Amino acid sequence: MTSLPFEYGVVYTSRRTLCVTVGRNAEITVRAPKRTPDKVILSFLHANADKITAAAEKARTRLNAVDEFTNGKSESQLKAEAAAILSEKVRHYSSLMGLYPAVARINGARSRLGSCSSKGVIHFSFFLMRYPDSAIDYVVVHELAHLKYMDHGKEFYALIDKYLPDRKERQKLLKN
Protein backbone atom coordinates (compact mmCIF):
# COMPACT_ATOMS: atom_id res chain seq x y z
CA MET A 1 0.00 0.00 0.00
CA THR A 2 1.09 3.55 -0.64
CA SER A 3 1.67 5.97 2.19
CA LEU A 4 -1.19 8.11 3.44
CA PRO A 5 -1.34 11.86 2.66
CA PHE A 6 -1.90 12.66 6.36
CA GLU A 7 -0.70 11.81 9.84
CA TYR A 8 -3.03 10.28 12.38
CA GLY A 9 -3.23 8.93 15.89
CA VAL A 10 -4.97 5.78 17.09
CA VAL A 11 -7.06 5.42 20.23
CA TYR A 12 -8.07 1.90 21.20
CA THR A 13 -11.43 1.67 22.94
CA SER A 14 -14.13 -0.84 23.78
CA ARG A 15 -16.10 0.16 20.66
CA ARG A 16 -16.99 -2.43 18.02
CA THR A 17 -16.25 -0.48 14.84
CA LEU A 18 -13.56 1.74 13.37
CA CYS A 19 -14.17 5.46 13.01
CA VAL A 20 -12.12 8.52 12.15
CA THR A 21 -12.55 11.97 13.66
CA VAL A 22 -11.06 15.21 12.45
CA GLY A 23 -10.66 17.66 15.34
CA ARG A 24 -10.95 21.42 15.41
CA ASN A 25 -7.22 21.80 14.73
CA ALA A 26 -7.40 19.31 11.81
CA GLU A 27 -5.86 16.49 13.84
CA ILE A 28 -6.93 13.06 12.64
CA THR A 29 -7.76 10.36 15.16
CA VAL A 30 -8.74 6.76 14.49
CA ARG A 31 -10.89 5.13 17.15
CA ALA A 32 -10.54 1.38 16.95
CA PRO A 33 -11.67 -1.66 18.93
CA LYS A 34 -9.00 -3.04 21.25
CA ARG A 35 -6.56 -5.40 19.53
CA THR A 36 -7.44 -4.24 16.00
CA PRO A 37 -4.49 -5.16 13.75
CA ASP A 38 -2.56 -2.26 12.20
CA LYS A 39 -3.20 -3.62 8.69
CA VAL A 40 -6.98 -3.37 9.25
CA ILE A 41 -6.64 0.24 10.38
CA LEU A 42 -4.40 1.08 7.40
CA SER A 43 -6.80 -0.57 4.98
CA PHE A 44 -9.68 1.44 6.47
CA LEU A 45 -7.68 4.68 6.18
CA HIS A 46 -6.71 4.00 2.56
CA ALA A 47 -10.32 3.21 1.65
CA ASN A 48 -11.45 6.54 3.15
CA ALA A 49 -8.38 8.68 2.42
CA ASP A 50 -10.21 11.12 0.11
CA LYS A 51 -12.97 11.81 2.64
CA ILE A 52 -10.50 12.16 5.51
CA THR A 53 -8.25 14.51 3.53
CA ALA A 54 -11.26 16.66 2.54
CA ALA A 55 -12.48 16.85 6.14
CA ALA A 56 -9.01 17.81 7.39
CA GLU A 57 -8.71 20.49 4.70
CA LYS A 58 -12.10 21.90 5.66
CA ALA A 59 -10.98 22.05 9.31
CA ARG A 60 -7.73 23.82 8.31
CA THR A 61 -9.71 26.33 6.21
CA ARG A 62 -12.03 27.03 9.14
CA LEU A 63 -9.04 27.43 11.46
CA ASN A 64 -7.42 29.91 9.03
CA ALA A 65 -10.68 31.86 8.78
CA VAL A 66 -10.79 32.15 12.56
CA ASP A 67 -7.16 33.32 12.64
CA GLU A 68 -7.92 35.90 9.94
CA PHE A 69 -11.03 37.03 11.80
CA THR A 70 -9.23 37.55 15.10
CA ASN A 71 -6.49 39.54 13.34
CA GLY A 72 -4.16 39.27 16.32
CA LYS A 73 -6.76 40.48 18.81
CA SER A 74 -7.07 38.75 22.15
CA GLU A 75 -10.22 36.94 23.17
CA SER A 76 -10.98 39.67 25.70
CA GLN A 77 -10.71 42.36 23.00
CA LEU A 78 -13.05 40.41 20.72
CA LYS A 79 -15.53 39.90 23.55
CA ALA A 80 -15.47 43.61 24.37
CA GLU A 81 -16.17 44.55 20.73
CA ALA A 82 -19.00 42.01 20.52
CA ALA A 83 -20.46 43.17 23.85
CA ALA A 84 -20.61 46.78 22.69
CA ILE A 85 -22.28 45.96 19.37
CA LEU A 86 -24.60 43.24 20.63
CA SER A 87 -25.78 45.08 23.74
CA GLU A 88 -26.97 47.94 21.50
CA LYS A 89 -28.73 45.53 19.13
CA VAL A 90 -30.36 43.64 22.01
CA ARG A 91 -31.52 46.93 23.54
CA HIS A 92 -32.95 48.09 20.19
CA TYR A 93 -34.80 44.89 19.29
CA SER A 94 -35.93 44.24 22.87
CA SER A 95 -37.73 47.57 22.92
CA LEU A 96 -39.30 46.87 19.50
CA MET A 97 -40.40 43.35 20.40
CA GLY A 98 -41.22 43.93 24.06
CA LEU A 99 -39.02 40.95 24.98
CA TYR A 100 -36.20 41.46 27.46
CA PRO A 101 -33.58 38.86 28.38
CA ALA A 102 -32.66 38.32 32.02
CA VAL A 103 -29.01 38.56 30.94
CA ALA A 104 -27.17 38.68 27.61
CA ARG A 105 -23.65 37.28 27.66
CA ILE A 106 -20.81 36.92 25.17
CA ASN A 107 -18.81 33.72 24.83
CA GLY A 108 -16.40 32.10 22.38
CA ALA A 109 -18.63 29.29 21.16
CA ARG A 110 -17.65 28.15 17.70
CA SER A 111 -20.54 25.92 16.74
CA ARG A 112 -23.40 28.05 18.06
CA LEU A 113 -23.70 31.76 17.35
CA GLY A 114 -26.51 32.28 19.83
CA SER A 115 -28.56 30.43 22.42
CA CYS A 116 -31.38 31.18 24.85
CA SER A 117 -32.10 29.30 28.06
CA SER A 118 -35.53 28.78 29.59
CA LYS A 119 -34.44 31.20 32.33
CA GLY A 120 -34.13 34.01 29.79
CA VAL A 121 -30.34 34.02 29.58
CA ILE A 122 -29.09 34.70 26.06
CA HIS A 123 -25.56 33.86 24.95
CA PHE A 124 -23.93 35.21 21.79
CA SER A 125 -20.62 34.04 20.38
CA PHE A 126 -18.11 36.78 19.58
CA PHE A 127 -17.56 34.88 16.31
CA LEU A 128 -20.91 36.31 15.24
CA MET A 129 -19.01 39.56 14.56
CA ARG A 130 -17.51 38.13 11.37
CA TYR A 131 -20.94 38.11 9.72
CA PRO A 132 -22.70 41.04 8.02
CA ASP A 133 -24.78 43.36 10.17
CA SER A 134 -28.08 42.03 8.80
CA ALA A 135 -27.11 38.47 9.81
CA ILE A 136 -26.19 39.67 13.31
CA ASP A 137 -29.59 41.35 13.58
CA TYR A 138 -31.24 38.08 12.61
CA VAL A 139 -29.44 36.13 15.36
CA VAL A 140 -30.39 38.77 17.94
CA VAL A 141 -34.07 38.71 16.92
CA HIS A 142 -33.99 34.89 16.73
CA GLU A 143 -32.72 34.58 20.31
CA LEU A 144 -35.13 37.23 21.61
CA ALA A 145 -38.01 35.33 19.96
CA HIS A 146 -37.00 32.32 22.05
CA LEU A 147 -37.98 34.31 25.13
CA LYS A 148 -41.57 33.89 23.96
CA TYR A 149 -41.35 30.59 22.04
CA MET A 150 -38.71 28.06 23.06
CA ASP A 151 -39.25 25.96 19.93
CA HIS A 152 -38.87 26.63 16.21
CA GLY A 153 -42.57 26.40 15.38
CA LYS A 154 -44.76 28.50 13.12
CA GLU A 155 -45.49 31.11 15.79
CA PHE A 156 -41.77 31.49 16.47
CA TYR A 157 -40.95 32.24 12.83
CA ALA A 158 -44.06 34.43 12.45
CA LEU A 159 -42.73 36.56 15.31
CA ILE A 160 -39.32 36.89 13.64
CA ASP A 161 -40.95 37.66 10.27
CA LYS A 162 -42.91 40.47 11.90
CA TYR A 163 -39.65 42.31 12.63
CA LEU A 164 -37.45 40.90 9.86
CA PRO A 165 -39.58 40.12 6.78
CA ASP A 166 -36.40 39.17 4.87
CA ARG A 167 -35.52 36.50 7.46
CA LYS A 168 -34.70 33.80 4.91
CA GLU A 169 -32.14 35.95 3.09
CA ARG A 170 -30.54 36.80 6.44
CA GLN A 171 -30.40 33.12 7.39
CA LYS A 172 -28.56 32.36 4.15
CA LEU A 173 -25.82 34.79 5.15
CA LEU A 174 -25.06 32.58 8.16
CA LYS A 175 -24.57 29.49 6.00
CA ASN A 176 -21.45 30.88 4.29
Side-chain angles (χ1 to χ4, degrees):
M1 279 190 204
T2 60
S3 65
L4 292 164
F6 50 81
E7 293 184 17
Y8 63 94
V10 180
V11 176
Y12 294 96
T13 66
S14 59
R15 63 181 296 120
R16 293 178 181 219
T17 59
L18 285 168
C19 81
V20 175
T21 58
V22 177
R24 184 179 291 162
N25 294 325
E27 70 277 357
I28 299 167
T29 305
V30 178
R31 299 196 184 289
K34 293 177 182 169
R35 295 188 279 283
T36 301
D38 288 345
K39 66 181 181 180
V40 171
I41 293 171
L42 276 172
S43 176
F44 178 78
L45 290 171
H46 280 285
N48 294 287
D50 290 344
K51 291 179 191 173
I52 296 166
T53 302
E57 186 56 38
K58 186 175 180 180
R60 275 190 287 282
T61 301
R62 190 177 305 120
L63 192 59
N64 290 339
V66 168
D67 290 344
E68 187 178 308
F69 164 69
T70 59
N71 202 20
K73 296 177 184 173
S74 70
E75 185 174 313
S76 61
Q77 288 172 313
L78 292 168
K79 281 184 179 180
E81 282 181 27
I85 292 167
L86 288 167
S87 65
E88 184 54 41
K89 289 184 178 293
V90 167
R91 193 172 13 263
H92 171 74
Y93 284 107
S94 286
S95 66
L96 280 178
M97 299 170 74
L99 298 169
Y100 299 89
V103 179
R105 295 189 176 126
I106 308 298
N107 61 31
R110 293 172 188 264
S111 59
R112 218 177 247 197
L113 296 174
S115 65
C116 180
S117 77
S118 59
K119 294 183 175 160
V121 177
I122 294 178
H123 287 94
F124 295 106
S125 171
F126 61 74
F127 288 103
L128 183 57
M129 297 297 102
R130 67 179 147 173
Y131 291 93
D133 209 42
S134 59
I136 296 169
D137 288 345
Y138 168 73
V139 174
V140 170
V141 171
H142 180 106
E143 297 311 329
L144 288 172
H146 277 310
L147 295 172
K148 187 166 185 175
Y149 303 105
M150 286 305 290
D151 62 1
H152 290 115
K154 288 181 183 178
E155 297 93 352
F156 172 79
Y157 284 111
L159 178 61
I160 294 174
D161 290 342
K162 180 177 176 182
Y163 298 98
L164 300 174
D166 60 342
R167 162 183 62 90
K168 290 184 180 181
E169 288 77 36
R170 293 172 187 253
Q171 282 176 309
K172 287 177 189 173
L173 295 170
L174 296 168
K175 305 267 188 241
N176 297 332

